[in-house]
Amino acid sequence: MDLEEEEEEDYRSESRRKASTVFSVIASVLSGFLGNWACFKVSEMLNVPSQAFPAAGSQQRVAPAGQSRNKVVLKPGHSLLDWIRLTKSGQDLTGLRGRLIEVTEDELKKHNTKKDCWTCIRGMVYNLSAYMDFHPGGEEELMRAAGIDSTDLFDEVHRWVNYESMLKECLVGRMAVKPSPALQAHTEKTESTHLNGLSAPPSLRPEPLSAPLPAKDHRPRYDWFQTDGTVNIVVYTKRKIPSAGCAVVDLQDDNLRVEMLLGRMSYLLYWRLSSRVQDHVDVQTAHSVGKVQLCLRKSVKEKWTQLGQSLEHHDTFIQCKDRGLFYRECVLLSKTDVTHNTQLLRLQLPPGSRMQVPVGRHVYLKTSVQGTDVVKPYTAVDQMLIPPSQSSAEVGSDIHLMIKVYPDGVLTPHIANLPIGASLSVGGPEGSLTLRVLRDVTHLYMLAAGTGFTPMARLIRLALQEFTVIRKMKLMFFNRQERDILWQSQLDELCTKEERFEVQHVLSEPADSWTGRRGRIDACMLQNFLERPENSKCLVCVCGPAGFTESAVQLVRQLDFSEEELHVFQA
Ligand code: NAD
């Protein structure tokens, strides 16, 4: 067994749990709990820009007749912007006239009705009653949090949502600390939990009881050495690193944060450095041996007696989902039109940051709308479908995001109007795809709708370049009109160049002149598309609007594809 396999073994039960979670989430979607893809994917318990997304005219928003749709239609005057306005109105949203109190568990339990709904997130207690009608996921979903510590529930679907900002006027206070040795601090997630001078109590939540950690010697380790002018940190990840890399480095002031994204796991190194260094970090990766080397240039040529002082969570190896989000300010370098309503943004990371976003993962854009932070996930793409070689920019110094602008959105028109040189806060990366799912796959099928194409874009490139076992790679790409097809000419070009790759376009609102496939996803389309030749190992990847994803998953299952043969991209 190689290291990856051992890790896989360690996580087999976790994977099973995850896979069944995907299906149970989907089942919930169908049964009306999660309501829509935005819930399931964009996680709208508290802060999905309801106006931004889905757009008013989007098929996600308007349930076509006869189709299973559970999207909660917010009453007029209950959009995200309306909520922001209400929070600024000076109204008492907690019923405590601005007083902050300590809340016991017993007290919390009492506030469990729609009109009096308190919940606890990371030790802080909020009164959600005023928010009830503004919640895009609906009252039913929000009521699941009533009267309890909903941190895990929140993290399941909303981890990235900036609830502190969204709910700051709903803050009731903090949980009273219960002296119990069994409860351990969950400090990573309390990093930013400081509100109105209150900070979350340190010992509230047990460590996540998820999968067991890999055995000790699977842990990455690090070493450092120095020369007169440089400090070098070497991280031995102990597993093969894909070509896209795995390192996310942030040097801010004298703090150096290095995160290695290794499948489901995250290894973090975090120091306040002993002495000053220049703000440029060089990152070299030896992919096959799994080694990452960082080179920092000393501001003053002097001998360091130590690298620095360890900061919070230094040298920890935990699941990515349990690691707090880290933001850095990026500069908008360019905007290029991809289609009539979609732009490719190139963002430059600050000089001390390097970010190698693993394939299929997303980052978060955070911006302030009328003083409230609005956050939304975007899957990182490359500059082109198949760049000729490594782009001229230094690896990991910039990121590309494909953004569809929804005219009545909250965030996207703002982003579209940003001038070149403007700054944007970028958090992450995050995401659930691990390359293990591609192991031994011979037939890779991708069902993408609209911007759901973005995670497929890098997957196609990776599969073509690194997974020679894949004999066939087929994309079925659903759009409304031909003008909506992202990177159409690049896809067509790839088809002619690459025998293994095939694309089929399906339009739901085609012009009369369209000679290709029409309609929405259905069993008939998939029957021929998802072939399963003898001795093949198939993987079907799905990404798109909620209704599309629901249908696609159902249909794929009906065609007897197992849970292991299906990956649903979700943010
Ligand atoms: P869109 O509204 O333009 O729809 C594109 C196509 O999807 C339509 O032509 C139709 O064929 C299909 N479709 C839409 N609604 C459907 C339904 N109810 N049933 C069956 N088919 C349906 O798409 P868009 O505005 O580009 O939205 C793309 C979606 O993909 C967004 O919801 C976005 O959040 C999601 N997305 C997710 C990720 C991720 O999770 N990693 C990444 C990118 C995009």
Side-chain angles (χ1 to χ4, degrees):
M1 236 187 332
D2 66 20
L3 281 164
E4 214 183 324
E5 276 168 341
E6 284 180 46
E7 188 185 318
E8 184 173 359
E9 184 60 34
D10 286 331
Y11 282 97
R12 198 153 290 158
S13 54
E14 167 73 350
S15 309
R16 273 197 290 270
R17 191 185 63 75
K18 280 257 176 174
S20 65
T21 305
V22 166
F23 284 103
S24 63
V25 168
I26 289 159
S28 311
V29 170
L30 294 171
S31 69
F33 160 53
L34 282 176
N36 53 45
W37 172 240
C39 274
F40 158 47
K41 164 214 73 69
V42 187
S43 330
E44 349 180 85
M45 185 163 158
L46 298 173
N47 169 25
V48 163
S50 62
Q51 284 202 335
F53 205 74
S58 164
Q59 285 152 326
Q60 299 171 64
R61 192 176 276 271
V62 186
Q67 196 166 327
S68 147
R69 276 300 319 271
N70 304 301
K71 174 80 186 171
V72 173
V73 180
L74 295 172
K75 292 181 212 147
H78 288 79
S79 69
L80 174 62
L81 267 183
D82 294 317
W83 171 250
I84 293 173
R85 270 184 220 120
L86 177 64
T87 61
K88 305 276 176 265
S89 68
Q91 268 193 52
D92 177 12
L93 302 183
T94 60
L96 294 170
R97 301 204 184 107
R99 219 162 28 99
L100 293 168
I101 59 171
E102 253 193 2
V103 182
T104 61
E105 240 174 69
D106 287 344
E107 184 64 27
L108 179 65
K109 276 187 207 153
K110 289 181 200 159
H111 301 269
N112 62 358
T113 62
K114 191 191 160 195
K115 296 242 168 319
D116 179 21
C117 175
W118 290 13
T119 197
C120 167
I121 308 174
R122 287 195 243 301
M124 309 305 281
V125 179
Y126 299 89
N127 184 341
L128 301 179
S129 312
Y131 185 65
M132 204 58 74
D133 291 340
F134 291 85
H135 181 226
E139 173 191 321
E140 199 183 330
E141 183 182 317
L142 211 50
M143 282 306 291
R144 288 183 78 207
I148 61 167
D149 183 336
S150 61
T151 310
D152 289 339
L153 191 62
F154 177 81
D155 283 348
E156 227 173 79
V157 282
H158 301 293
R159 195 163 93 82
W160 52 274
V161 169
N162 201 328
Y163 65 93
E164 290 109 322
S165 177
M166 283 291 294
L167 296 179
K168 59 178 177 264
E169 299 308 323
C170 302
L171 183 70
V172 168
R174 70 176 191 183
M175 286 298 289
V177 182
K178 206 167 67 176
S180 159
L183 295 178
Q184 302 246 319
H186 195 69
T187 43
E188 180 78 22
K189 289 179 176 176
T190 59
E191 262 172 22
S192 58
T193 315
H194 290 267
L195 280 165
N196 302 355
L198 269 184
S199 61
S203 306
L204 281 167
R205 304 186 58 242
E207 286 293 326
L209 293 171
S210 42
L213 283 174
K216 194 123 188 135
D217 58 3
H218 296 180
R219 289 182 101 255
R221 62 176 192 86
Y222 75 94
D223 225 334
W224 73 284
F225 62 91
Q226 58 186 315
T227 65
D228 277 356
T230 65
V231 170
N232 300 274
I233 299 160
V234 188
V235 183
Y236 303 94
T237 67
K238 303 188 185 172
R239 57 259 300 140
K240 237 173 109 174
I241 299 172
S243 61
C246 68
V248 181
V249 179
D250 290 285
L251 175 64
Q252 291 184 356
D253 302 323
D254 293 335
N255 292 352
L256 178 69
R257 186 183 186 279
V258 181
E259 187 177 358
M260 299 287 154
L261 299 165
L262 306 166
R264 284 178 211 293
M265 303 298 287
S266 151
Y267 180 58
L268 184 76
L269 298 171
Y270 203 7
W271 297 276
R272 171 167 288 277
L273 296 172
S274 294
S275 271
R276 302 227 69 164
V277 292
Q278 292 170 24
D279 62 5
H280 179 93
V281 186
D282 184 44
V283 180
Q284 303 281 347
T285 305
H287 298 271
S288 56
V289 291
K291 190 173 93 173
V292 179
Q293 184 158 339
L294 273 62
C295 179
L296 309 168
R297 277 171 199 82
K298 294 177 180 172
S299 295
V300 179
K301 288 189 178 173
E302 59 186 8
K303 193 163 177 236
W304 290 20
T305 50
Q306 58 166 6
L307 187 53
Q309 188 191 331
S310 305
L311 297 178
E312 233 179 0
H313 309 295
H314 169 68
D315 201 15
T316 51
F317 187 44
I318 61 174
Q319 291 201 47
C320 295
K321 69 178 180 57
D322 295 324
R323 183 79 73 201
L325 270 185
F326 189 85
Y327 280 89
R328 69 286 290 159
E329 286 302 308
C330 295
V331 174
L332 179 60
L333 278 189
S334 66
K335 284 192 273 188
T336 319
D337 285 339
V338 179
T339 65
H340 63 106
N341 62 3
T342 304
Q343 298 179 333
L344 185 68
L345 266 54
R346 183 171 163 211
L347 300 173
Q348 185 177 47
L349 290 153
S353 294
R354 290 285 168 276
M355 193 196 283
Q356 300 174 329
V357 183
V359 171
R361 310 259 175 131
H362 48 266
V363 295
Y364 297 96
L365 291 188
K366 179 165 78 177
T367 193
S368 175
V369 178
Q370 297 183 17
T372 296
D373 286 342
V374 178
V375 185
K376 197 169 168 349
Y378 290 98
T379 310
V381 293
D382 290 303
Q383 196 175 358
M384 300 164 75
L385 190 57
I386 307 287
S389 57
Q390 202 50 260
S391 69
S392 54
E394 200 182 332
V395 178
S397 62
D398 56 7
I399 44 178
H400 291 90
L401 302 176
M402 213 183 254
I403 295 185
K404 185 183 256 191
V405 181
Y406 296 95
D408 60 350
V410 173
L411 187 60
T412 55
H414 170 84
I415 293 174
N417 288 329
L418 282 177
I420 302 303
S423 79
L424 264 170
S425 203
V426 176
E430 263 201 358
S432 62
L433 181 77
T434 69
L435 300 186
R436 215 177 297 133
V437 296
L438 284 171
R439 187 186 289 169
D440 303 329
V441 165
T442 57
H443 288 69
L444 175 63
Y445 300 117
M446 291 161 279
L447 306 174
T451 55
F453 166 70
T454 51
M456 311 299 181
R458 287 181 77 206
L459 187 58
I460 293 170
R461 177 179 168 192
L462 175 90
L464 284 172
Q465 292 181 342
E466 289 186 32
F467 287 82
T468 44
V469 180
I470 299 181
R471 300 201 291 272
K472 198 79 207 165
M473 223 171 287
K474 285 164 68 169
L475 167 70
M476 193 173 267
F477 194 4
F478 298 82
N479 284 284
R480 292 164 183 237
Q481 301 176 5
E482 193 169 359
R483 64 178 189 150
D484 296 318
I485 302 177
L486 304 167
W487 281 350
Q488 183 179 15
S489 56
Q490 293 189 50
L491 283 168
D492 293 344
E493 194 186 323
L494 188 62
C495 272
T496 53
K497 276 194 193 149
E498 256 295 341
E499 233 177 90
R500 290 190 290 158
F501 181 71
E502 190 183 313
V503 61
Q504 288 186 25
H505 295 290
V506 185
L507 299 184
S508 57
E509 298 166 19
D512 292 343
S513 54
W514 175 253
T515 54
R517 273 179 182 270
R518 296 158 175 260
R520 286 184 168 198
I521 191 162
D522 63 31
C524 187
M525 283 177 197
L526 295 192
Q527 227 148 29
N528 298 328
F529 185 76
L530 300 178
E531 47 189 359
R532 193 199 276 282
E534 226 173 282
N535 297 326
S536 61
K537 183 176 173 204
C538 302
L539 178 70
V540 185
C541 294
V542 176
C543 191
F548 170 82
T549 304
E550 290 165 23
S551 306
V553 167
Q554 249 185 336
L555 293 168
V556 171
R557 293 178 83 186
Q558 279 163 16
L559 288 171
D560 281 340
F561 283 84
S562 67
E563 295 177 13
E564 283 73 27
E565 290 173 319
L566 178 64
H567 179 83
V568 180
F569 284 97
Q570 49 187 312

